[in-house]
Amino acid sequence: MKLTIVAGARPNFIKIAPLIHEIDRVCSEGMDITYRLVHTGQHYNTELSEVFFNELNIPAPHVNLEAGSGSQAVQAANIMVRFEEELINNKPDCVIVVGDVNSTMACAVTTKKLNIKLAHIEAGIRSFDRTMPEEINRIITDAITDYFFTTTPLASENLLQSGVDPSKIFFVGNIMIDSLSQNMTRAIIPPFFEAKGLKNGNYIVLTLHRPVNVDDPKVLEEILGTIIPVLGDNKLVFPVHPRTMKTLDNIKLDTSHIIFTGALSYLRFIYLTKHSKGVITDSGGIQEETTYLNIPCITIRNTTERPETVEQGTNVLVGDDRAALRGELTKIVAGNMKKGSIPDKWDGNTAKRIIEILAGISFHD
Ligand code: UD1
């Protein structure tokens, strides 16, 4: 079996690592799988890309398309032109895309236009909010995917509702949790941890990068202005995504209470999360990681494509309701934790299930 595995942005790297390690494992037992790893170059900063390859022992990509930043259309177009050439020169049996970033969608479309089979890992999740670029990426990718690997029964159900053939849907669990469960013992204490007086449970972690929360300085100011007065004795640690950094330079609020860091590496970020009192975020993956780690999570979004983290896990959605944000943070600061449990098949064995299923498929029927 010849595969092409696509990764372009930070959350993709965390999802492909367990898959590649599983391929290496089954090959060492005699299975015949070859793959080409394609980095689209959507994320190119060391802190968003290279560090993840190093920490997660992902081999160097066979090719980097170096698509870089730009508007949605420019970025997608650059990826498509370059990925088309890659696929023509190195035709696989199947392309694997993961998640919902622009690279996922652009490579999915290119693959199907060349009539090559397409597998999507993390298929079927939906926020039903079409103002999010990721939701558009999910809908387009799943409209043309051949093999759907889902994280939850609800994601499978969403696909059935949209008319997907049930025999093409495989509920395999959450591959991001493979990475988390396998790397927790390797977590690294961030260099600033002791110097800034951080201790187990005496701080809140904040991450924000959605355009709706960070592109307008007034909105970012309002969010920080809501959080700071409720912290009590707790510290606030804010690892800043490059997108957010640009806006932070333009806000007028006194931010001297906040411990700012650049975007953290994977092993440092999971250490920080694991030892925190709670997390405030607008990320998708962090909602899942906090549910797995049983850490309370407040999500500053109106919708989530990962509702299991709310219904079953430790997550609450507060949207743009600042009173709700204040109320939920007050509960966490008071140690009033929402109880959660871990969704089915978020068990560290998802990559194994995916490779077993792929190995049983005949791609040329
Ligand atoms: C992307 C994904 C988002 C994911 C996030 C994780 C899409 C639509 N969004 O958002 O789903 O949660 O990655 O981080 O695909 N930039 C840099 N260096 C980089 C990359 C980006 O400085 O290596 C800056 C650029 O100014 C760029 C901006 O960040 O314009 C946004 O980058 P982009 O890749 O478009 O989206 P993200 O906000 O990173």
Side-chain angles (χ1 to χ4, degrees):
M1 166 166 62
K2 266 169 78 176
L3 301 172
T4 294
I5 301 170
V6 175
R10 180 171 60 177
N12 286 173
F13 309 138
I14 303 164
K15 292 166 197 166
I16 60 153
L19 192 72
I20 288 175
H21 298 321
E22 178 61 12
I23 292 174
D24 290 344
R25 194 188 67 77
V26 296
C27 286
S28 74
E29 289 177 352
M31 199 182 271
D32 180 21
I33 305 180
T34 56
Y35 70 89
R36 277 177 69 78
L37 175 57
V38 177
H39 190 322
T40 65
Q42 176 176 343
H43 281 177
Y44 45 86
N45 278 12
T46 305
E47 59 180 354
L48 294 187
S49 176
E50 200 184 319
V51 161
F52 287 76
F53 278 74
N54 293 340
E55 285 191 349
L56 294 169
N57 296 317
I58 306 170
H62 295 89
V63 60
N64 188 323
L65 307 179
E66 295 180 358
S69 298
S71 70
Q72 301 274 323
V74 167
Q75 192 176 57
N78 282 335
I79 294 170
M80 284 184 183
V81 169
R82 297 169 198 186
F83 190 53
E84 183 181 58
E85 195 184 337
E86 158 66 22
L87 286 182
I88 289 169
N89 292 335
N90 304 283
K91 190 172 177 203
D93 298 314
C94 182
V95 171
I96 300 181
V97 295
V98 298
D100 54 17
V101 302
N102 289 342
S103 301
T104 310
M105 182 277 292
C107 292
V109 171
T110 311
T111 301
K112 290 316 297 174
K113 292 271 182 159
L114 290 173
N115 209 13
I116 296 169
K117 295 288 187 203
L118 177 67
H120 182 202
I121 297 179
E122 205 182 88
I125 62 172
R126 294 288 182 273
S127 67
F128 301 101
D129 172 1
R130 291 195 178 190
T131 65
M132 288 178 69
E134 292 82 1
E135 183 72 356
I136 305 299
N137 293 338
R138 292 178 200 122
I139 293 168
I140 294 174
T141 304
D142 285 341
I144 53 179
T145 288
D146 296 292
Y147 311 107
F148 301 81
F149 294 103
T150 66
T151 48
T152 62
L154 182 62
S156 300
E157 186 56 36
N158 289 336
L159 293 168
L160 289 171
Q161 292 290 329
S162 60
V164 174
D165 174 353
S167 71
K168 303 291 185 202
I169 304 172
F170 307 96
F171 166 42
V172 289
N174 193 332
I175 201 160
M176 207 155 183
I177 302 302
D178 286 19
S179 270
L180 186 58
S181 58
Q182 286 155 19
N183 286 292
M184 212 53 240
T185 55
R186 299 176 61 227
I188 298 173
I189 185 163
F192 55 83
F193 199 85
E194 278 157 13
K196 295 287 183 189
L198 300 183
K199 294 197 183 92
N200 208 348
N202 80 344
Y203 62 92
I204 302 288
V205 178
L206 172 67
T207 83
L208 294 170
H209 72 280
R210 298 271 161 219
V212 63
N213 287 330
V214 305
D215 285 1
D216 179 350
K218 285 207 190 71
V219 174
L220 188 53
E221 229 171 75
E222 197 183 282
I223 294 172
L224 295 176
T226 306
I227 294 171
I228 292 169
V230 197
L231 286 169
D233 295 338
N234 297 281
K235 298 176 190 298
L236 181 67
V237 187
F238 188 2
V240 184
H241 184 283
R243 177 175 204 119
T244 313
M245 194 69 89
K246 288 183 197 160
T247 314
L248 267 182
D249 291 342
N250 296 318
I251 68 170
K252 297 191 185 73
L253 196 80
D254 174 12
T255 53
S256 52
H257 304 74
I258 305 177
I259 300 168
F260 288 104
T261 76
L264 289 180
S265 77
Y266 183 67
L267 294 178
R268 287 177 173 147
F269 187 74
I270 63 176
Y271 184 98
L272 194 70
T273 302
K274 168 87 181 149
H275 296 89
S276 71
K277 188 167 217 163
V279 175
I280 305 170
T281 192
D282 61 7
S283 151
I286 295 171
Q287 296 173 49
E288 298 177 330
E289 289 168 341
T290 45
T291 277
Y292 182 79
L293 293 172
N294 202 28
I295 297 289
C297 179
I298 300 173
T299 299
I300 305 188
R301 284 176 43 192
N302 290 310
T303 56
T304 179
E305 60 290 331
R306 291 152 163 103
E308 299 77 10
T309 61
V310 176
E311 282 148 25
Q312 212 182 324
T314 55
N315 188 21
V316 289
L317 291 189
V318 295
D320 52 10
D321 179 346
R322 305 302 174 224
L325 169 59
R326 196 177 308 117
E328 292 299 334
L329 184 55
T330 304
K331 282 192 216 161
I332 294 177
V333 165
N336 195 348
M337 237 199 91
K338 184 183 172 199
K339 297 257 177 311
S341 63
I342 298 174
D344 190 22
K345 294 193 189 171
W346 292 22
D347 59 1
N349 293 315
T350 295
K352 191 164 180 287
R353 293 184 195 106
I354 293 172
I355 296 300
E356 268 168 22
I357 291 164
L358 286 173
I361 292 175
S362 168
F363 293 104
H364 300 289
D365 288 349

